[in-house]
Amino acid sequence: MAITEGRNRRNHNLHPAAPPATVPAPRAHGETIPTGAGPVRYVWAAARIAIGWVFLWAFLDKLFGWGFATPA
């Protein structure tokens, strides 16, 4: 069976451990960390808030039976 085929193998070192991750050097005081495209981050943040508001509004509308966006 394919399920139990690898259970009794003695060689457990088939996949050696990954090399240790490197730690970035500390930055000087006042030096900024590059974060990629600045305006794109704000667009994605606004989109996340807008989508969250849509789902929150639908939930609250259904919960309290306001009937604005969804029928009661």
Side-chain angles (χ1 to χ4, degrees):
M1 277 178 110
I3 296 174
T4 60
E5 187 174 324
R7 286 187 183 173
N8 296 325
R9 290 185 182 170
R10 296 284 181 201
N11 187 5
H12 294 289
N13 196 13
L14 295 176
H15 303 288
T22 58
V23 178
R27 297 190 174 272
H29 181 69
E31 186 178 356
T32 60
I33 299 172
T35 57
V40 174
R41 294 180 64 208
Y42 291 108
V43 170
W44 280 114
R48 288 178 64 186
I49 291 171
I51 291 172
W53 173 252
V54 167
F55 282 100
L56 178 65
W57 175 257
F59 171 74
L60 293 175
D61 188 30
K62 261 309 194 195
L63 180 67
F64 295 114
W66 294 330
F68 290 112
T70 57

Short mmCIF file of all heavy atoms in Angstrom, two decimals:
data_model
loop_
_atom_site.label_atom_id
_atom_site.label_comp_id
_atom_site.label_asym_id
_atom_site.label_seq_id
_atom_site.Cartn_x
_atom_site.Cartn_y
_atom_site.Cartn_z
N MET A 1 0.83 -1.18 0.00
CA MET A 1 0.00 0.00 0.00
C MET A 1 0.87 1.25 0.00
O MET A 1 1.89 1.31 0.67
CB MET A 1 -0.88 0.02 1.24
CG MET A 1 -2.14 -0.79 1.12
SD MET A 1 -3.02 -0.72 2.68
CE MET A 1 -4.38 0.26 2.21
N ALA A 2 0.44 2.27 -0.66
CA ALA A 2 1.21 3.49 -0.75
C ALA A 2 1.18 4.28 0.57
O ALA A 2 2.07 5.06 0.84
CB ALA A 2 0.68 4.36 -1.87
N ILE A 3 0.16 4.06 1.39
CA ILE A 3 0.04 4.83 2.63
C ILE A 3 1.11 4.43 3.63
O ILE A 3 1.70 5.26 4.31
CB ILE A 3 -1.36 4.64 3.24
CG1 ILE A 3 -2.41 5.20 2.29
CG2 ILE A 3 -1.45 5.29 4.60
CD1 ILE A 3 -3.82 4.93 2.72
N THR A 4 1.42 3.13 3.74
CA THR A 4 2.38 2.66 4.74
C THR A 4 3.77 2.42 4.17
O THR A 4 4.63 1.93 4.87
CB THR A 4 1.86 1.35 5.37
OG1 THR A 4 1.73 0.37 4.32
CG2 THR A 4 0.54 1.57 6.06
N GLU A 5 4.00 2.76 2.93
CA GLU A 5 5.27 2.44 2.30
C GLU A 5 6.45 3.14 2.97
O GLU A 5 7.49 2.56 3.15
CB GLU A 5 5.21 2.83 0.83
CG GLU A 5 6.43 2.39 0.04
CD GLU A 5 6.25 2.69 -1.43
OE1 GLU A 5 5.11 2.56 -1.93
OE2 GLU A 5 7.23 3.06 -2.06
N GLY A 6 6.29 4.40 3.37
CA GLY A 6 7.41 5.14 3.90
C GLY A 6 7.54 5.12 5.41
O GLY A 6 8.42 5.75 5.97
N ARG A 7 6.71 4.36 6.11
CA ARG A 7 6.74 4.39 7.57
C ARG A 7 7.96 3.71 8.17
O ARG A 7 8.42 4.10 9.23
CB ARG A 7 5.48 3.72 8.13
CG ARG A 7 4.26 4.54 7.99
CD ARG A 7 3.12 3.89 8.70
NE ARG A 7 1.90 4.66 8.50
CZ ARG A 7 0.71 4.27 8.88
NH1 ARG A 7 0.56 3.11 9.51
NH2 ARG A 7 -0.34 5.01 8.66
N ASN A 8 8.47 2.68 7.55
CA ASN A 8 9.53 1.89 8.17
C ASN A 8 10.92 2.24 7.65
O ASN A 8 11.86 1.50 7.89
CB ASN A 8 9.25 0.39 7.94
CG ASN A 8 7.98 -0.04 8.63
OD1 ASN A 8 7.66 0.48 9.70
ND2 ASN A 8 7.26 -0.96 8.03
N ARG A 9 11.06 3.33 7.00
CA ARG A 9 12.39 3.71 6.50
C ARG A 9 13.26 4.19 7.64
O ARG A 9 12.82 4.90 8.53
CB ARG A 9 12.26 4.83 5.46
CG ARG A 9 11.66 4.36 4.18
CD ARG A 9 11.67 5.46 3.16
NE ARG A 9 11.04 5.01 1.93
CZ ARG A 9 10.73 5.80 0.95
NH1 ARG A 9 11.00 7.08 1.02
NH2 ARG A 9 10.16 5.33 -0.13
N ARG A 10 14.52 3.82 7.60
CA ARG A 10 15.47 4.22 8.64
C ARG A 10 16.12 5.56 8.33
O ARG A 10 16.58 6.24 9.21
CB ARG A 10 16.55 3.16 8.81
CG ARG A 10 16.03 1.85 9.30
CD ARG A 10 15.72 1.95 10.75
NE ARG A 10 15.22 0.66 11.23
CZ ARG A 10 14.51 0.52 12.30
NH1 ARG A 10 14.19 1.58 13.01
NH2 ARG A 10 14.10 -0.66 12.68
N ASN A 11 16.20 5.93 7.06
CA ASN A 11 16.87 7.15 6.67
C ASN A 11 15.88 8.31 6.76
O ASN A 11 15.13 8.57 5.83
CB ASN A 11 17.43 7.02 5.26
CG ASN A 11 18.29 8.20 4.88
OD1 ASN A 11 18.54 9.07 5.70
ND2 ASN A 11 18.73 8.23 3.64
N HIS A 12 15.89 9.03 7.87
CA HIS A 12 14.98 10.15 8.05
C HIS A 12 15.57 11.46 7.55
O HIS A 12 14.96 12.50 7.66
CB HIS A 12 14.62 10.30 9.53
CG HIS A 12 13.83 9.14 10.04
ND1 HIS A 12 12.52 8.91 9.67
CD2 HIS A 12 14.18 8.13 10.87
CE1 HIS A 12 12.09 7.82 10.27
NE2 HIS A 12 13.07 7.33 11.00
N ASN A 13 16.78 11.42 7.01
CA ASN A 13 17.46 12.63 6.55
C ASN A 13 17.29 12.80 5.05
O ASN A 13 18.21 13.18 4.35
CB ASN A 13 18.94 12.57 6.94
CG ASN A 13 19.60 13.93 6.85
OD1 ASN A 13 18.91 14.93 6.74
ND2 ASN A 13 20.90 13.96 6.90
N LEU A 14 16.09 12.54 4.54
CA LEU A 14 15.85 12.69 3.11
C LEU A 14 15.80 14.15 2.71
O LEU A 14 16.18 14.52 1.61
CB LEU A 14 14.54 11.99 2.74
CG LEU A 14 14.53 10.48 2.91
CD1 LEU A 14 13.15 9.94 2.59
CD2 LEU A 14 15.57 9.83 2.04
N HIS A 15 15.30 15.00 3.59
CA HIS A 15 15.21 16.42 3.33
C HIS A 15 16.03 17.15 4.39
O HIS A 15 15.57 17.35 5.51
CB HIS A 15 13.74 16.90 3.39
CG HIS A 15 12.86 16.16 2.44
ND1 HIS A 15 12.91 16.36 1.09
CD2 HIS A 15 11.93 15.20 2.64
CE1 HIS A 15 12.03 15.57 0.50
NE2 HIS A 15 11.42 14.85 1.42
N PRO A 16 17.25 17.53 4.06
CA PRO A 16 18.08 18.20 5.06
C PRO A 16 17.47 19.54 5.48
O PRO A 16 16.69 20.14 4.74
CB PRO A 16 19.42 18.41 4.36
CG PRO A 16 19.11 18.29 2.91
CD PRO A 16 17.91 17.40 2.79
N ALA A 17 17.82 19.98 6.66
CA ALA A 17 17.28 21.23 7.19
C ALA A 17 17.71 22.41 6.31
O ALA A 17 18.78 22.40 5.70
CB ALA A 17 17.78 21.44 8.60
N ALA A 18 16.84 23.39 6.24
CA ALA A 18 17.12 24.59 5.45
C ALA A 18 18.23 25.38 6.14
O ALA A 18 18.38 25.34 7.36
CB ALA A 18 15.87 25.44 5.33
N PRO A 19 19.03 26.12 5.38
CA PRO A 19 20.07 26.93 6.01
C PRO A 19 19.44 27.99 6.89
O PRO A 19 18.30 28.42 6.66
CB PRO A 19 20.80 27.56 4.82
CG PRO A 19 19.85 27.46 3.68
CD PRO A 19 19.00 26.26 3.94
N PRO A 20 20.14 28.42 7.93
CA PRO A 20 19.56 29.42 8.83
C PRO A 20 19.29 30.73 8.10
O PRO A 20 20.02 31.13 7.19
CB PRO A 20 20.62 29.60 9.91
CG PRO A 20 21.88 29.10 9.30
CD PRO A 20 21.49 28.05 8.30
N ALA A 21 18.21 31.38 8.50
CA ALA A 21 17.84 32.66 7.88
C ALA A 21 18.83 33.73 8.31
O ALA A 21 19.31 33.75 9.44
CB ALA A 21 16.43 33.05 8.29
N THR A 22 19.11 34.62 7.40
CA THR A 22 20.03 35.71 7.74
C THR A 22 19.26 36.84 8.40
O THR A 22 18.13 37.15 8.03
CB THR A 22 20.73 36.24 6.47
OG1 THR A 22 19.73 36.68 5.56
CG2 THR A 22 21.56 35.15 5.82
N VAL A 23 19.88 37.45 9.36
CA VAL A 23 19.27 38.57 10.08
C VAL A 23 19.79 39.85 9.46
O VAL A 23 21.00 40.02 9.30
CB VAL A 23 19.65 38.51 11.58
CG1 VAL A 23 19.08 39.69 12.32
CG2 VAL A 23 19.18 37.20 12.17
N PRO A 24 18.90 40.78 9.07
CA PRO A 24 19.37 42.02 8.47
C PRO A 24 20.16 42.85 9.48
O PRO A 24 19.91 42.80 10.68
CB PRO A 24 18.10 42.73 8.04
CG PRO A 24 17.01 42.12 8.83
CD PRO A 24 17.45 40.73 9.16
N ALA A 25 21.09 43.61 8.96
CA ALA A 25 21.92 44.47 9.81
C ALA A 25 21.06 45.57 10.42
O ALA A 25 20.10 46.03 9.79
CB ALA A 25 23.05 45.07 8.99
N PRO A 26 21.36 45.99 11.63
CA PRO A 26 20.58 47.08 12.23
C PRO A 26 20.74 48.37 11.44
O PRO A 26 21.80 48.65 10.89
CB PRO A 26 21.16 47.20 13.63
CG PRO A 26 22.46 46.51 13.60
CD PRO A 26 22.41 45.51 12.50
N ARG A 27 19.69 49.16 11.38
CA ARG A 27 19.70 50.40 10.61
C ARG A 27 20.13 51.57 11.49
O ARG A 27 19.94 51.56 12.69
CB ARG A 27 18.32 50.66 10.03
CG ARG A 27 17.91 49.57 9.07
CD ARG A 27 16.67 49.97 8.33
NE ARG A 27 16.34 49.00 7.31
CZ ARG A 27 16.81 49.03 6.07
NH1 ARG A 27 17.61 49.98 5.69
NH2 ARG A 27 16.45 48.11 5.21
N ALA A 28 20.67 52.57 10.84
CA ALA A 28 21.10 53.77 11.54
C ALA A 28 19.86 54.54 12.00
O ALA A 28 18.78 54.40 11.45
CB ALA A 28 21.96 54.64 10.63
N HIS A 29 20.02 55.36 13.00
CA HIS A 29 18.90 56.13 13.54
C HIS A 29 18.37 57.08 12.46
O HIS A 29 19.10 57.83 11.86
CB HIS A 29 19.35 56.94 14.75
CG HIS A 29 18.25 57.73 15.37
ND1 HIS A 29 17.21 57.13 16.03
CD2 HIS A 29 18.01 59.07 15.42
CE1 HIS A 29 16.39 58.08 16.46
NE2 HIS A 29 16.85 59.25 16.10
N GLY A 30 17.06 57.02 12.24
CA GLY A 30 16.44 57.90 11.26
C GLY A 30 16.39 57.35 9.86
O GLY A 30 15.77 57.94 8.99
N GLU A 31 17.03 56.22 9.61
CA GLU A 31 17.02 55.65 8.27
C GLU A 31 15.68 54.94 8.05
O GLU A 31 15.20 54.19 8.90
CB GLU A 31 18.17 54.65 8.13
CG GLU A 31 18.33 54.12 6.72
CD GLU A 31 19.52 53.18 6.62
OE1 GLU A 31 20.24 53.01 7.60
OE2 GLU A 31 19.69 52.61 5.54
N THR A 32 15.07 55.18 6.91
CA THR A 32 13.77 54.58 6.64
C THR A 32 13.94 53.20 6.03
O THR A 32 14.93 52.92 5.34
CB THR A 32 12.95 55.46 5.68
OG1 THR A 32 13.68 55.59 4.45
CG2 THR A 32 12.69 56.82 6.29
N ILE A 33 12.96 52.36 6.25
CA ILE A 33 12.96 51.02 5.70
C ILE A 33 12.18 51.06 4.39
O ILE A 33 11.05 51.54 4.37
CB ILE A 33 12.30 50.03 6.67
CG1 ILE A 33 13.08 49.98 7.98
CG2 ILE A 33 12.19 48.64 6.07
CD1 ILE A 33 12.41 49.18 9.07
N PRO A 34 12.76 50.57 3.30
CA PRO A 34 12.02 50.57 2.03
C PRO A 34 10.83 49.62 2.12
O PRO A 34 10.96 48.48 2.54
CB PRO A 34 13.04 50.09 1.01
CG PRO A 34 14.09 49.39 1.79
CD PRO A 34 14.09 50.01 3.15
N THR A 35 9.66 50.10 1.75
CA THR A 35 8.44 49.29 1.87
C THR A 35 7.80 49.01 0.52
O THR A 35 6.69 48.52 0.47
CB THR A 35 7.43 50.00 2.77
OG1 THR A 35 7.16 51.29 2.22
CG2 THR A 35 7.94 50.13 4.18
N GLY A 36 8.43 49.35 -0.57
CA GLY A 36 7.84 49.09 -1.88
C GLY A 36 7.05 50.30 -2.36
O GLY A 36 7.34 51.43 -2.02
N ALA A 37 6.03 50.04 -3.15
CA ALA A 37 5.24 51.10 -3.74
C ALA A 37 4.35 51.73 -2.67
O ALA A 37 3.47 51.09 -2.12
CB ALA A 37 4.40 50.54 -4.87
N GLY A 38 4.55 53.01 -2.38
CA GLY A 38 3.80 53.71 -1.35
C GLY A 38 2.33 53.90 -1.65
O GLY A 38 1.48 53.48 -0.87
N PRO A 39 1.97 54.53 -2.77
CA PRO A 39 0.56 54.79 -3.05
C PRO A 39 -0.27 53.52 -3.22
O PRO A 39 -1.45 53.50 -2.89
CB PRO A 39 0.58 55.59 -4.35
CG PRO A 39 1.95 56.16 -4.45
CD PRO A 39 2.84 55.20 -3.74
N VAL A 40 0.34 52.47 -3.70
CA VAL A 40 -0.39 51.22 -3.91
C VAL A 40 -0.85 50.66 -2.58
O VAL A 40 -1.95 50.11 -2.47
CB VAL A 40 0.50 50.21 -4.66
CG1 VAL A 40 -0.18 48.85 -4.77
CG2 VAL A 40 0.85 50.73 -6.04
N ARG A 41 -0.05 50.83 -1.54
CA ARG A 41 -0.43 50.34 -0.21
C ARG A 41 -1.69 51.05 0.28
O ARG A 41 -2.55 50.43 0.90
CB ARG A 41 0.71 50.54 0.77
CG ARG A 41 1.92 49.68 0.44
CD ARG A 41 3.04 49.88 1.42
NE ARG A 41 2.59 49.45 2.74
CZ ARG A 41 3.07 49.95 3.87
NH1 ARG A 41 3.98 50.86 3.85
NH2 ARG A 41 2.64 49.49 5.03
N TYR A 42 -1.80 52.35 0.02
CA TYR A 42 -2.97 53.10 0.45
C TYR A 42 -4.22 52.69 -0.34
O TYR A 42 -5.32 52.64 0.21
CB TYR A 42 -2.73 54.60 0.30
CG TYR A 42 -1.72 55.10 1.30
CD1 TYR A 42 -0.45 55.47 0.90
CD2 TYR A 42 -2.04 55.21 2.65
CE1 TYR A 42 0.49 55.91 1.81
CE2 TYR A 42 -1.12 55.66 3.57
CZ TYR A 42 0.15 56.02 3.16
OH TYR A 42 1.06 56.45 4.07
N VAL A 43 -4.05 52.37 -1.61
CA VAL A 43 -5.18 51.92 -2.42
C VAL A 43 -5.69 50.58 -1.90
O VAL A 43 -6.89 50.38 -1.74
CB VAL A 43 -4.78 51.82 -3.91
CG1 VAL A 43 -5.85 51.12 -4.72
CG2 VAL A 43 -4.48 53.20 -4.46
N TRP A 44 -4.78 49.66 -1.62
CA TRP A 44 -5.19 48.36 -1.08
C TRP A 44 -5.83 48.51 0.29
O TRP A 44 -6.78 47.81 0.62
CB TRP A 44 -4.01 47.40 -1.02
CG TRP A 44 -3.70 46.78 -2.35
CD1 TRP A 44 -2.58 46.97 -3.08
CD2 TRP A 44 -4.53 45.91 -3.11
NE1 TRP A 44 -2.66 46.26 -4.25
CE2 TRP A 44 -3.84 45.60 -4.29
CE3 TRP A 44 -5.79 45.35 -2.90
CZ2 TRP A 44 -4.38 44.75 -5.26
CZ3 TRP A 44 -6.32 44.51 -3.87
CH2 TRP A 44 -5.61 44.22 -5.03
N ALA A 45 -5.31 49.41 1.12
CA ALA A 45 -5.90 49.63 2.44
C ALA A 45 -7.32 50.17 2.30
O ALA A 45 -8.24 49.72 3.00
CB ALA A 45 -5.04 50.59 3.25
N ALA A 46 -7.52 51.10 1.41
CA ALA A 46 -8.86 51.66 1.19
C ALA A 46 -9.81 50.59 0.64
O ALA A 46 -10.98 50.53 1.03
CB ALA A 46 -8.80 52.84 0.23
N ALA A 47 -9.30 49.74 -0.25
CA ALA A 47 -10.14 48.68 -0.80
C ALA A 47 -10.55 47.69 0.29
O ALA A 47 -11.70 47.24 0.34
CB ALA A 47 -9.40 47.95 -1.92
N ARG A 48 -9.62 47.36 1.18
CA ARG A 48 -9.95 46.43 2.27
C ARG A 48 -10.99 47.03 3.20
O ARG A 48 -11.92 46.34 3.64
CB ARG A 48 -8.69 46.09 3.06
CG ARG A 48 -7.73 45.20 2.32
CD ARG A 48 -6.50 44.93 3.11
NE ARG A 48 -6.84 44.19 4.32
CZ ARG A 48 -5.96 43.90 5.27
NH1 ARG A 48 -4.72 44.30 5.16
NH2 ARG A 48 -6.33 43.22 6.32
N ILE A 49 -10.87 48.30 3.50
CA ILE A 49 -11.85 48.96 4.37
C ILE A 49 -13.21 49.01 3.69
O ILE A 49 -14.25 48.77 4.31
CB ILE A 49 -11.35 50.35 4.77
CG1 ILE A 49 -10.14 50.21 5.70
CG2 ILE A 49 -12.45 51.16 5.43
CD1 ILE A 49 -9.43 51.51 5.99
N ALA A 50 -13.23 49.32 2.39
CA ALA A 50 -14.49 49.40 1.66
C ALA A 50 -15.19 48.05 1.61
O ALA A 50 -16.40 47.95 1.83
CB ALA A 50 -14.25 49.93 0.24
N ILE A 51 -14.44 47.00 1.32
CA ILE A 51 -15.04 45.66 1.28
C ILE A 51 -15.53 45.26 2.66
O ILE A 51 -16.61 44.68 2.82
CB ILE A 51 -14.03 44.64 0.72
CG1 ILE A 51 -13.79 44.92 -0.77
CG2 ILE A 51 -14.52 43.21 0.92
CD1 ILE A 51 -12.68 44.11 -1.37
N GLY A 52 -14.75 45.58 3.69
CA GLY A 52 -15.18 45.29 5.05
C GLY A 52 -16.46 46.02 5.41
O GLY A 52 -17.36 45.46 6.06
N TRP A 53 -16.59 47.27 4.98
CA TRP A 53 -17.80 48.04 5.27
C TRP A 53 -19.01 47.43 4.57
O TRP A 53 -20.10 47.37 5.13
CB TRP A 53 -17.62 49.50 4.85
CG TRP A 53 -18.89 50.26 4.98
CD1 TRP A 53 -19.68 50.71 3.97
CD2 TRP A 53 -19.56 50.63 6.19
NE1 TRP A 53 -20.78 51.33 4.47
CE2 TRP A 53 -20.73 51.30 5.85
CE3 TRP A 53 -19.27 50.44 7.54
CZ2 TRP A 53 -21.62 51.79 6.79
CZ3 TRP A 53 -20.15 50.94 8.48
CH2 TRP A 53 -21.31 51.60 8.11
N VAL A 54 -18.83 46.96 3.33
CA VAL A 54 -19.93 46.35 2.59
C VAL A 54 -20.46 45.13 3.34
O VAL A 54 -21.66 44.96 3.53
CB VAL A 54 -19.49 45.97 1.16
CG1 VAL A 54 -20.50 45.07 0.49
CG2 VAL A 54 -19.27 47.23 0.33
N PHE A 55 -19.55 44.27 3.79
CA PHE A 55 -19.98 43.07 4.50
C PHE A 55 -20.54 43.40 5.88
O PHE A 55 -21.50 42.77 6.33
CB PHE A 55 -18.83 42.06 4.60
CG PHE A 55 -18.61 41.31 3.32
CD1 PHE A 55 -17.59 41.69 2.47
CD2 PHE A 55 -19.42 40.25 2.97
CE1 PHE A 55 -17.37 41.01 1.28
CE2 PHE A 55 -19.22 39.56 1.79
CZ PHE A 55 -18.20 39.94 0.94
N LEU A 56 -19.95 44.38 6.55
CA LEU A 56 -20.47 44.77 7.86
C LEU A 56 -21.87 45.37 7.73
O LEU A 56 -22.76 45.06 8.52
CB LEU A 56 -19.53 45.79 8.53
CG LEU A 56 -19.99 46.30 9.89
CD1 LEU A 56 -20.02 45.17 10.90
CD2 LEU A 56 -19.12 47.44 10.35
N TRP A 57 -22.07 46.20 6.71
CA TRP A 57 -23.38 46.81 6.51
C TRP A 57 -24.44 45.75 6.20
O TRP A 57 -25.54 45.78 6.74
CB TRP A 57 -23.33 47.84 5.38
CG TRP A 57 -24.68 48.39 5.09
CD1 TRP A 57 -25.49 48.08 4.04
CD2 TRP A 57 -25.41 49.32 5.89
NE1 TRP A 57 -26.67 48.77 4.13
CE2 TRP A 57 -26.65 49.54 5.27
CE3 TRP A 57 -25.11 50.00 7.07
CZ2 TRP A 57 -27.59 50.40 5.78
CZ3 TRP A 57 -26.07 50.85 7.58
CH2 TRP A 57 -27.29 51.05 6.95
N ALA A 58 -24.10 44.79 5.35
CA ALA A 58 -25.06 43.73 5.02
C ALA A 58 -25.40 42.92 6.27
O ALA A 58 -26.56 42.56 6.49
CB ALA A 58 -24.49 42.82 3.94
N PHE A 59 -24.40 42.65 7.10
CA PHE A 59 -24.64 41.90 8.32
C PHE A 59 -25.55 42.68 9.28
O PHE A 59 -26.53 42.15 9.80
CB PHE A 59 -23.31 41.56 9.00
CG PHE A 59 -23.48 40.98 10.37
CD1 PHE A 59 -23.92 39.69 10.54
CD2 PHE A 59 -23.20 41.75 11.50
CE1 PHE A 59 -24.08 39.15 11.81
CE2 PHE A 59 -23.36 41.23 12.76
CZ PHE A 59 -23.79 39.93 12.92
N LEU A 60 -25.22 43.95 9.50
CA LEU A 60 -26.02 44.75 10.42
C LEU A 60 -27.44 44.97 9.89
O LEU A 60 -28.40 44.97 10.65
CB LEU A 60 -25.34 46.10 10.68
CG LEU A 60 -24.02 46.03 11.44
CD1 LEU A 60 -23.39 47.41 11.51
CD2 LEU A 60 -24.22 45.45 12.82
N ASP A 61 -27.55 45.14 8.58
CA ASP A 61 -28.87 45.33 7.96
C ASP A 61 -29.74 44.09 8.16
O ASP A 61 -30.93 44.20 8.47
CB ASP A 61 -28.68 45.64 6.48
CG ASP A 61 -29.97 46.05 5.81
OD1 ASP A 61 -30.83 46.64 6.48
OD2 ASP A 61 -30.11 45.79 4.60
N LYS A 62 -29.14 42.91 7.98
CA LYS A 62 -29.89 41.68 8.19
C LYS A 62 -30.18 41.46 9.68
O LYS A 62 -31.26 41.02 10.05
CB LYS A 62 -29.09 40.49 7.71
CG LYS A 62 -29.39 39.93 6.37
CD LYS A 62 -30.83 39.64 6.15
CE LYS A 62 -30.95 38.78 4.93
NZ LYS A 62 -32.27 38.72 4.41
N LEU A 63 -29.22 41.79 10.54
CA LEU A 63 -29.36 41.54 11.97
C LEU A 63 -30.49 42.36 12.57
O LEU A 63 -31.32 41.84 13.32
CB LEU A 63 -28.05 41.85 12.68
CG LEU A 63 -28.02 41.63 14.20
CD1 LEU A 63 -28.15 40.16 14.51
CD2 LEU A 63 -26.74 42.19 14.78
N PHE A 64 -30.54 43.64 12.23
CA PHE A 64 -31.54 44.51 12.84
C PHE A 64 -32.79 44.70 11.97
O PHE A 64 -33.71 45.38 12.37
CB PHE A 64 -30.92 45.88 13.14
CG PHE A 64 -29.84 45.79 14.19
CD1 PHE A 64 -28.52 46.05 13.86
CD2 PHE A 64 -30.14 45.42 15.49
CE1 PHE A 64 -27.52 45.96 14.82
CE2 PHE A 64 -29.15 45.33 16.45
CZ PHE A 64 -27.84 45.60 16.12
N GLY A 65 -32.80 44.11 10.77
CA GLY A 65 -33.99 44.18 9.93
C GLY A 65 -34.29 45.57 9.40
O GLY A 65 -35.45 45.94 9.26
N TRP A 66 -33.26 46.35 9.12
CA TRP A 66 -33.48 47.70 8.62
C TRP A 66 -34.09 47.70 7.22
O TRP A 66 -34.84 48.59 6.85
CB TRP A 66 -32.17 48.49 8.61
CG TRP A 66 -31.63 48.73 9.98
CD1 TRP A 66 -32.33 48.86 11.12
CD2 TRP A 66 -30.26 48.85 10.35
NE1 TRP A 66 -31.50 49.06 12.18
CE2 TRP A 66 -30.21 49.07 11.73
CE3 TRP A 66 -29.07 48.81 9.65
CZ2 TRP A 66 -29.03 49.24 12.43
CZ3 TRP A 66 -27.88 48.97 10.33
CH2 TRP A 66 -27.87 49.19 11.71
N GLY A 67 -33.71 46.71 6.40
CA GLY A 67 -34.30 46.57 5.08
C GLY A 67 -33.78 47.56 4.06
O GLY A 67 -34.41 47.76 3.03
N PHE A 68 -32.62 48.18 4.29
CA PHE A 68 -32.08 49.12 3.31
C PHE A 68 -31.48 48.41 2.12
O PHE A 68 -31.83 48.69 0.98
CB PHE A 68 -31.04 50.03 3.96
CG PHE A 68 -31.62 51.01 4.92
CD1 PHE A 68 -31.37 50.91 6.29
CD2 PHE A 68 -32.43 52.04 4.48
CE1 PHE A 68 -31.90 51.81 7.18
CE2 PHE A 68 -32.97 52.95 5.37
CZ PHE A 68 -32.71 52.83 6.72
N ALA A 69 -30.53 47.51 2.37
CA ALA A 69 -29.83 46.85 1.27
C ALA A 69 -30.33 45.44 1.03
O ALA A 69 -30.21 44.91 -0.06
CB ALA A 69 -28.34 46.81 1.56
N THR A 70 -30.88 44.80 2.07
CA THR A 70 -31.37 43.44 1.92
C THR A 70 -32.79 43.38 2.44
O THR A 70 -33.14 44.06 3.40
CB THR A 70 -30.49 42.46 2.71
OG1 THR A 70 -30.48 42.86 4.09
CG2 THR A 70 -29.07 42.43 2.18
N PRO A 71 -33.62 42.56 1.82
CA PRO A 71 -34.99 42.43 2.33
C PRO A 71 -35.00 41.78 3.71
O PRO A 71 -34.15 40.96 4.03
CB PRO A 71 -35.69 41.54 1.31
CG PRO A 71 -34.63 40.93 0.50
CD PRO A 71 -33.41 41.77 0.61
N ALA A 72 -35.94 42.18 4.53
CA ALA A 72 -36.01 41.67 5.90
C ALA A 72 -36.39 40.19 5.91
O ALA A 72 -37.04 39.70 5.03
CB ALA A 72 -37.04 42.47 6.68
#
